Amino acid sequence: MTKGEQLYEGKAKKVFATDDPEKLIVDYKDDATAFNGLKKGTIRGKGVINNRMSNALMRMLESKGVPTHFIEELSERETLVKKVSIVPLEVIIRNISAGSFAKHYGVEEGIVFDAPTIEFSYKNDALGDPLLNEYHALALKLATKEEIETIKKYSFMVNEVLKEFWLSCGVTLVDFKLEFGRLSDGTIVLADEISPDTCRLWDSKTGEKLDKDRFRRDLGGVEDAYQEIMGRLEKHIGG
Ligand code: TMP
């Protein structure tokens, strides 16, 4: 597969064309941002970890019936994926209160919910990714009713699969963000990445944060946390 021209550079990844119009190469960077790009930094080795972790989790999800954009890991930082047009919705699933949920509703972090919650935000950096509901998404024609139903179904499936997997690694899946895309025939698949950048992962015993909150909140030990969570995954996946 030949790496063609760079099509796009995001905050954490670059996307390249290939000789197949239906396939792209994603290249993971060590760059980290938070608060809509206001805070910038580097997390050494993050690109390698996020690439490998996201691929391992997407393979697992495929085997459990969630279609994804993943095709093949090409190198430490590069992955071949199906070309999608991204649905401009960020889907957030929460099992435990944290982050913006705790802030918006004035509750402490760490409250375990009886059932997971789902929320959407409009993927639009200029507007700061505002929260919206399904009616807003329909009004803005961001997705169809059927697409939203499919996205919700897959998102809760992802939660069940990942919650159980991370528990077997001694890690609590607090919350995470997903993005979906449409293949050229309109099929909805899970896209973007699943990594410590996009999930809150707490050590089940100690509550230690093993994710990007260490960077967002200046907690220190950022690189070590990424290494630790990757090590746990590899031990339990036999990789
Ligand atoms: P929040 O509590 O800040 O809304 O974040 C919820 C989850 O979504 C958390 O696991 C981090 C992830 N997330 C992203 O992946 N990208 C983002 O831009 C934001 C704000 C959160």
Side-chain angles (χ1 to χ4, degrees), residues 176-230:
F176 56 94
K177 185 264 299 178
L178 300 176
E179 294 182 25
F180 291 85
R182 300 178 187 98
L183 300 178
S184 56
D185 68 358
T187 307
I188 293 284
V189 300
L190 181 62
D192 193 51
E193 68 180 276
I194 308 176
S195 72
D197 277 22
T198 63
C199 303
R200 284 196 173 93
L201 300 160
W202 295 353
D203 182 281
S204 300
K205 280 212 187 77
T206 65
E208 189 189 356
K209 296 183 191 344
L210 299 172
D211 57 58
K212 195 177 163 190
D213 268 353
R214 301 205 75 84
F215 168 79
R216 295 189 189 99
R217 302 179 185 191
D218 295 320
L219 300 177
V222 184
E223 273 109 5
D224 287 349
Y226 275 71
Q227 296 288 346
E228 170 68 26
I229 195 78
M230 189 63 204

Side-chain angles (χ1 to χ4, degrees), residues 10 27-28 47 79 86 91 103 105 107 131-134 140 151-152 177 189 195 235:
D27 192 332
Y28 285 74
T79 293
I86 288 283
V91 185
K103 200 168 157 218
Y105 303 116
V107 296
L131 275 172
L132 45 59
N133 67 32
E134 290 175 48
L140 292 167
I151 286 171
K152 284 198 294 188
K177 185 264 299 178
V189 300
S195 72
K235 214 160 87 197

Side-chain angles (χ1 to χ4, degrees), residues 2-230:
T2 343
K3 197 168 177 179
E5 62 163 324
Q6 183 177 311
L7 301 175
Y8 173 78
E9 177 162 9
K11 285 180 274 202
K13 299 185 282 297
K14 294 177 185 173
V15 179
F16 295 85
T18 68
D19 39 26
D20 183 335
E22 302 286 337
K23 295 175 184 171
L24 300 174
I25 292 172
V26 176
D27 192 332
Y28 285 74
K29 307 189 286 184
D30 285 348
D31 299 353
T33 65
F35 316 117
N36 200 14
L38 234 54
K39 182 183 171 85
K40 288 191 175 68
T42 303
I43 302 174
R44 242 176 321 111
K46 172 171 88 79
V48 174
I49 287 173
N50 286 10
N51 183 39
R52 284 171 30 214
M53 182 178 294
S54 192
N55 293 341
L57 297 177
M58 290 219 186
R59 270 190 222 107
M60 186 187 307
L61 290 165
E62 284 274 359
S63 78
K64 304 280 185 182
V66 180
T68 77
H69 71 165
F70 175 75
I71 303 175
E72 186 192 352
E73 192 165 298
L74 299 176
S75 74
E76 276 197 321
R77 290 175 184 272
E78 294 166 309
T79 293
L80 187 66
V81 298
K82 295 175 187 164
K83 183 178 180 174
V84 298
S85 102
I86 288 283
V87 177
L89 288 173
E90 298 197 349
V91 185
I92 293 155
I93 298 273
R94 301 179 193 269
N95 296 303
I96 296 178
S97 65
S100 67
F101 183 97
K103 200 168 157 218
H104 283 147
Y105 303 116
V107 296
E108 78 237 44
E109 297 197 308
I111 301 166
V112 180
F113 302 147
D114 291 340
T117 67
I118 189 165
E119 69 206 42
F120 300 98
S121 60
Y122 178 21
K123 188 175 157 61
N124 184 320
D125 279 342
L127 298 176
D129 298 338
L131 275 172
L132 45 59
N133 67 32
E134 290 175 48
Y135 295 89
H136 298 144
L138 286 173
L140 292 167
K141 296 193 168 31
L142 305 182
T144 66
K145 212 170 162 56
E146 293 70 32
E147 286 175 334
I148 293 173
E149 287 308 315
T150 304
I151 286 171
K152 284 198 294 188
K153 181 181 81 178
Y154 289 156
S155 298
F156 285 118
M157 282 169 73
V158 169
N159 188 43
E160 291 311 311
V161 173
L162 296 189
K163 215 167 48 173
E164 191 184 315
F165 171 71
W166 282 119
L167 202 60
S168 76
C169 305
V171 172
T172 303
L173 176 62
V174 174
D175 57 32
F176 56 94
K177 185 264 299 178
L178 300 176
E179 294 182 25
F180 291 85
R182 300 178 187 98
L183 300 178
S184 56
D185 68 358
T187 307
I188 293 284
V189 300
L190 181 62
D192 193 51
E193 68 180 276
I194 308 176
S195 72
D197 277 22
T198 63
C199 303
R200 284 196 173 93
L201 300 160
W202 295 353
D203 182 281
S204 300
K205 280 212 187 77
T206 65
E208 189 189 356
K209 296 183 191 344
L210 299 172
D211 57 58
K212 195 177 163 190
D213 268 353
R214 301 205 75 84
F215 168 79
R216 295 189 189 99
R217 302 179 185 191
D218 295 320
L219 300 177
V222 184
E223 273 109 5
D224 287 349
Y226 275 71
Q227 296 288 346
E228 170 68 26
I229 195 78
M230 189 63 204

